[in-house]
Amino acid sequence: MPSILWFEQIGMGDVGCVGGKNASLGEMVCKLGESGVRVPAGFATTSAAYRDFIAENAIETPMQERIRLYQAGRIPLEQAGAEIRDLILSAHLPDNFARDIRAAYDQLEERAKAKNPDVAVRSSATAEDLPDASFAGQQETFLNIRGHRALLEACLSCFASLFTDRAISYREAKGFDHFSVALSIGIQQMVRSDLAGSGVIFTIDTETGFPHVAVISAAWGLGETVVQGSVDPDKYVVFKPLLATPGTCPIIEKTCGEKAVRMIYADGGGKSTRIVATRLSQRGKFVLDDAEIVELGRWAVLVEKHYGRPMDLEWAKDGQSGLIYLVQARPETVQSGRSGAAFRTYRLKAKAQPILSGAAVGGAIAAGKACVLRNAGDMARFPDGAILVTGNTDPDWVPLMRRAGGIVTDHGGSTSHAAIVSRELGVPAVIGTGHATALLREGQPITLSCAGGEQGFVYDGLLDYESEEIDPGSFPATRTQVMVNIAEPASAFQWWRLPAKGVGLARMEFIINTLIKAHPMALLHPERVAEADRRKIADLIKDHADGADYFVDLLSRGIARLAAPYYPHPAIVRLSDFKTNEYAHLIGGSGFEPHEENPMLGFRGASRYYDERYREGFSAECQALKRVREVMGFANVIIMVPFCRTPAEADRVLAIMAQNGLRRGEHALQIYMMCEIPSNVVLAQEFAKRFDGFSIGSNDLTQLVLGVDRDSEFLATLFDEREEAVKIMIGDVIAKAHAAGIRIGICGQGPSDHPDFAEFLVHQGIDSISLNPDSFAKAIKSIAEAEVAGG
């Protein structure tokens, strides 16, 4: 076997020869280059060269002896690893092997047309990047290596890194024989990402396993800061099914990370790279523009399709040429390795105020005492099952992470080392909280929850929680279209495994409240709000051109995220339906909202959209919906008008929507109406001429039919959707809708709470029932039983 092979000479069939990392690079060069995927040029040393090196220096026997002593408990891991690495670093590369490396480097110099080109020297073990073992970060990488001498030294260091303490520990845990594993070295032309940016791509949502998105992390400088978790990166989420639709830009999330530091080339001093503070002008700026994000999304789809499985990729942008490259590709080993459709959900039993937040990893809840460690040297005092609190982790922390009940870090993102390893170990973690090590005390009882979507929270004290196993494969089929209500974009992907036929209710006000946080009119007219609120708004919109751009951007991406899990099934998005008292609590809201004695029956829903006091805000809502449907490509979004009192009011709202580019029937746009006021039932034939469908809001309909304030604790026993008067109203409007030839469903709370109410709806012939996700399993069985009983 030759000692050197170029990437274009190797592929995935050569893992035993050049290791998983190099085999994958060769595979992409050979098979995906014609599709436009760019991979930097390079070559790999072979496993035969490594074995020749070990044999020529006669060091295998003393290496084996150190491992035997460690396994027998006679010397610690640190001693065994250090002595084996010393044996390797004290050895010499065989003359023929060193000559081949120098010659290949000279050829790379000719290809690059540059004297002493800078290269990345990466370790690639023959038991690495396998479907069931990632070996993430176990061996070393050396960046910005120039010249023959530095290259040969880096190669020797790569060989030694096969026996880092973390690599030994990982192989022990996975059951790999240390001496059946060989090491290949990848020598790859550097991408000058020190002058631009770099990051990581997962072709699957790493927390929920949702397969239809690519999740991209990005930071300025060389990519090691993202992988190591020493930086809080940008995060972009791309919806993969719409990437093939011409003219679409399906980026459903863009979050600007702090990116406080970056790794760049070092100028002498014996080091090849150094960490520096990121310029303030860059911290608030996205690393990639939309076209580059979409390009990486398309590459992610190509790579995933070629390998036939979810993938974990690394990318880098060259600051000189402006071109983007893929520099690594390995299998994603956590979500793709989970068998079956069943999944477990967790829920805190009581509400509490979090003291920290960050990226959620693992979807679970953990409680225990905090153990605050600032460096790996303190690991000996960590008690099993404690919550590890630290700045960030690297592979040296893995043995300790394996013993932790949960993990909280100051820095990092969803693709950092701490996040990747926590997922693989099945340990819940809250990553990138900012100041956990400063805030949390040693021994402090805490609870961390990753059960609410992509954001995780840390609470003071030990909180009660419960969990449930859900097996969607056991759910019966139904004639009735069973949909889900999704409240917040952050939790949208959590329920993708449910066999729902779409989203029956996505509330726009939830997006405004949780993502946008400010009153729409205050964002459009900050000059009309108090100075303190104006400062808050300025901080919110700092990454956007102005308040209008901020509102439309966040609202459109929030809607798209809600529409994604069940695409191409419909996603019914309800226009904002805050009451005046709720709007007033938003930042800047008090200056735009009147005081009302009864906001529930006041200035809400449709009446706001054509009123001069909110008309500009409604136009911004329409712009966001138009962007979701026509720019991002989510044509499955149906718009729903809430609290529409009269047909004349419906006409005014539809006219305003048409003026804002949302005309019923154009671009297959459907517009529904919430049926929640008695007038909607009485005049259903008239409303049916104006809308494509109805969705019954049983909460408001019940309170208005019975005259019961749904928020009053004194009247709680009187509020019941199953009262005969309410059921007569519902049965009447279902019949009228069908007579008019339009669809009708229900999105209120009733069917989720009361199985007998769901049975009543089925017997009335309702077209769809939308349920809260946590009651889906129970309610769908009731629906199926009612269909069988009714024939």
Side-chain angles (χ1 to χ4, degrees), residues 563-587:
Y566 302 104
Y567 179 90
H569 293 300
I572 302 173
V573 178
R574 190 177 73 185
L575 296 164
S576 64
D577 191 27
F578 278 126
K579 289 76 176 174
T580 50
N581 60 322
E582 294 168 337
Y583 259 128
H585 289 145
L586 296 170
I587 296 171

Side-chain angles (χ1 to χ4, degrees), residues 141-155:
T141 291
F142 302 91
L143 304 176
N144 186 26
I145 303 300
R146 298 168 181 265
H148 291 166
R149 179 177 176 180
L151 176 57
L152 293 175
E153 289 176 353
C155 288

Side-chain angles (χ1 to χ4, degrees), residues 657-693:
M657 292 176 68
Q659 290 171 19
N660 283 283
L662 295 174
R663 188 180 301 276
R664 181 184 169 203
E666 283 189 3
H667 304 290
L669 173 62
Q670 294 185 61
I671 303 178
Y672 281 19
M673 183 191 76
M674 285 284 288
C675 180
E676 53 192 339
I677 305 171
S679 63
N680 299 151
V681 179
V682 174
L683 298 176
Q685 295 94 332
E686 290 301 313
F687 285 110
K689 296 174 184 177
R690 294 161 170 82
F691 295 99
D692 299 289

Side-chain angles (χ1 to χ4, degrees), residues 468-765:
E468 178 187 9
E469 176 101 353
I470 297 176
D471 181 8
S474 67
F475 295 164
T478 61
R479 294 192 303 272
T480 308
Q481 185 179 11
V482 183
M483 308 171 82
V484 289
N485 302 326
I486 299 182
E488 298 180 8
S491 59
F493 298 166
Q494 183 177 353
W495 304 99
W496 71 271
R497 289 183 178 87
L498 295 177
K501 301 303 181 184
V503 177
L505 177 63
R507 301 174 177 90
M508 192 179 284
E509 60 268 20
F510 274 75
I511 304 173
I512 296 172
N513 191 50
T514 60
L515 284 184
I516 296 172
K517 298 182 173 63
H519 193 289
M521 293 298 291
L523 290 167
L524 298 174
H525 293 285
E527 74 281 358
R528 289 162 54 183
V529 305
E531 177 62 30
D533 283 345
R534 195 153 57 240
R535 287 195 297 268
K536 292 178 183 176
I537 288 172
D539 185 58
L540 285 174
I541 69 173
K542 64 181 183 296
D543 301 328
H544 292 78
D546 53 30
D549 178 58
Y550 168 82
F551 181 80
V552 173
D553 185 48
L554 266 68
L555 182 57
S556 61
R557 298 193 200 283
I559 293 169
R561 192 178 178 95
L562 293 172
Y566 302 104
Y567 179 90
H569 293 300
I572 302 173
V573 178
R574 190 177 73 185
L575 296 164
S576 64
D577 191 27
F578 278 126
K579 289 76 176 174
T580 50
N581 60 322
E582 294 168 337
Y583 259 128
H585 289 145
L586 296 170
I587 296 171
S590 59
F592 294 92
E593 296 300 325
H595 172 74
E596 294 184 296
E597 292 298 329
N598 191 352
M600 189 75 77
L601 296 179
F603 188 43
R604 61 174 287 199
S607 61
R608 299 182 68 95
Y609 307 150
Y610 53 85
D611 190 286
E612 289 303 321
R613 286 171 290 183
Y614 189 70
R615 189 165 177 165
E616 288 179 86
F618 182 63
S619 293
E621 291 184 26
C622 291
Q623 291 173 41
L625 284 159
K626 187 174 174 65
R627 180 183 294 184
V628 170
R629 286 179 48 83
E630 298 176 21
V631 177
M632 296 185 183
F634 288 94
N636 63 320
V637 166
I638 294 172
I639 302 172
M640 185 156 65
V641 179
F643 225 78
C644 186
R645 294 173 169 93
T646 67
E649 186 168 64
D651 291 336
R652 297 185 72 175
V653 171
L654 291 169
I656 292 289
M657 292 176 68
Q659 290 171 19
N660 283 283
L662 295 174
R663 188 180 301 276
R664 181 184 169 203
E666 283 189 3
H667 304 290
L669 173 62
Q670 294 185 61
I671 303 178
Y672 281 19
M673 183 191 76
M674 285 284 288
C675 180
E676 53 192 339
I677 305 171
S679 63
N680 299 151
V681 179
V682 174
L683 298 176
Q685 295 94 332
E686 290 301 313
F687 285 110
K689 296 174 184 177
R690 294 161 170 82
F691 295 99
D692 299 289
F694 295 156
S695 184
I696 300 168
S698 57
N699 291 346
D700 270 330
L701 186 61
T702 300
Q703 81 166 343
L704 293 172
V705 169
L706 299 179
V708 175
D709 180 356
R710 74 188 204 196
D711 290 339
S712 172
E713 67 273 22
F714 304 113
L715 303 176
T717 57
L718 296 176
F719 186 92
D720 193 334
E721 296 94 332
R722 297 169 293 177
E723 283 290 339
E724 192 64 23
V726 181
K727 291 168 69 174
I728 288 172
M729 282 286 213
I730 290 173
D732 189 25
V733 77
I734 291 173
K736 287 177 177 178
H738 288 162
I742 68 170
R743 292 182 61 80
I744 183 166
I746 188 168
C747 59
Q749 187 74 21
S752 295
D753 291 344
H754 309 296
D756 58 331
F757 187 59
E759 293 172 19
F760 159 75
L761 294 167
V762 170
H763 294 151
Q764 294 299 310

Side-chain angles (χ1 to χ4, degrees), residues 62-347:
M63 290 165 65
Q64 289 175 330
E65 177 63 13
R66 269 59 172 193
I67 291 294
R68 188 185 66 77
L69 291 172
Y70 159 62
Q71 291 173 333
R74 294 173 60 185
I75 63 174
L77 170 64
E78 293 79 7
Q79 180 181 342
E83 291 181 0
I84 292 173
R85 292 192 297 275
D86 284 344
L87 286 168
I88 294 172
L89 292 171
S90 300
H92 68 277
L93 297 176
D95 292 341
N96 290 345
F97 181 39
R99 184 179 63 246
D100 289 346
I101 292 174
R102 288 192 294 265
Y105 179 77
D106 292 342
Q107 279 187 256
L108 194 61
E109 181 179 76
E110 293 176 16
R111 293 188 182 194
K113 296 181 172 58
K115 183 68 175 175
N116 282 344
D118 44 324
V119 294
V121 181
R122 303 180 188 274
S123 306
S124 177
T126 55
E128 180 181 58
D129 297 345
L130 304 176
D132 58 349
S134 70
F135 283 79
Q138 299 304 315
Q139 284 86 42
E140 300 291 352
T141 291
F142 302 91
L143 304 176
N144 186 26
I145 303 300
R146 298 168 181 265
H148 291 166
R149 179 177 176 180
L151 176 57
L152 293 175
E153 289 176 353
C155 288
L156 198 59
S157 296
C158 275
F159 281 165
S161 76
L162 187 59
F163 287 90
T164 60
D165 297 351
R166 58 187 181 254
I168 295 171
S169 176
Y170 194 89
R171 287 193 297 270
E172 287 281 314
K174 290 290 183 179
F176 283 87
D177 178 1
H178 298 283
F179 297 96
S180 66
V181 178
L183 193 116
S184 166
I185 303 166
I187 292 93
Q188 187 177 32
Q189 187 176 343
M190 282 287 293
V191 176
R192 290 302 304 269
S193 57
D194 61 306
L195 304 175
S198 51
V200 174
I201 311 170
F202 282 95
T203 69
I204 189 174
D205 182 56
T206 51
E207 301 316 313
T208 65
F210 181 48
H212 299 312
V213 290
V215 182
I216 303 169
S217 296
W220 299 111
L222 301 170
E224 292 301 294
T225 57
V226 177
V227 175
Q228 293 169 359
S230 58
V231 69
D232 303 316
D234 292 348
K235 180 182 177 183
Y236 318 120
V237 179
V238 183
F239 188 61
K240 295 186 296 188
L242 289 172
L243 285 168
T245 304
T248 61
C249 184
I251 303 170
I252 64 177
E253 182 182 337
K254 280 181 71 174
T255 303
C256 191
E258 185 183 9
K259 306 182 293 290
V261 297
R262 59 196 174 102
M263 180 181 284
I264 61 172
Y265 282 11
D267 300 319
K271 291 188 175 181
S272 58
T273 62
R274 62 192 178 103
I275 301 288
V276 299
T278 303
R279 293 190 293 270
L280 290 177
S281 61
Q282 288 182 306
R283 294 189 189 186
K285 184 180 178 183
F286 288 112
V287 174
L288 298 176
D289 61 30
D290 285 359
E292 291 168 331
I293 296 168
V294 168
E295 180 178 37
L296 283 176
R298 291 193 172 118
W299 285 5
V301 172
L302 286 170
V303 174
E304 182 179 58
K305 183 178 179 181
H306 177 75
Y307 284 84
R309 60 174 298 118
M311 297 294 289
D312 169 2
L313 314 172
E314 292 183 26
W315 63 271
K317 180 180 177 180
D318 194 297
Q320 294 175 327
S321 68
L323 297 176
I324 296 177
Y325 295 82
L326 292 185
V327 295
Q328 281 195 47
R330 49 167 119 28
E332 192 277 339
T333 59
V334 179
Q335 290 293 347
S336 56
R338 291 180 176 169
S339 59
F343 62 102
R344 181 166 289 279
T345 63
Y346 291 77
R347 186 178 68 85

Side-chain angles (χ1 to χ4, degrees), residues 7-56:
F7 288 162
E8 54 264 36
Q9 295 176 293
I10 56 182
M12 287 310 297
D14 300 305
V15 172
C17 176
V18 294
K21 191 176 297 176
N22 288 333
S24 189
L25 286 169
E27 183 78 8
M28 289 194 293
V29 168
C30 297
K31 302 293 177 61
L32 296 174
E34 292 183 0
S35 300
V37 176
R38 287 183 290 272
V39 178
F43 59 93
T45 68
T46 63
S47 57
Y50 168 80
R51 298 193 189 284
D52 288 346
F53 161 76
I54 296 294
E56 180 160 321

Side-chain angles (χ1 to χ4, degrees), residues 346-419:
Y346 291 77
R347 186 178 68 85
L348 290 172
K349 289 186 175 181
K351 288 187 177 181
Q353 188 65 32
I355 56 176
L356 288 166
S357 64
V361 172
I365 297 175
K369 291 183 178 181
C371 182
V372 183
L373 301 181
R374 288 179 170 80
N375 60 72
D378 296 331
M379 287 186 191
R381 66 178 180 84
F382 183 83
D384 287 355
I387 307 297
L388 170 63
V389 180
T390 188
N392 60 279
T393 68
D394 61 35
D396 290 329
W397 289 78
V398 173
L400 184 148
M401 295 169 75
R402 201 182 298 278
R403 296 160 45 211
I407 296 168
V408 182
T409 72
D410 290 338
H411 306 295
S414 59
T415 55
S416 65
H417 174 270

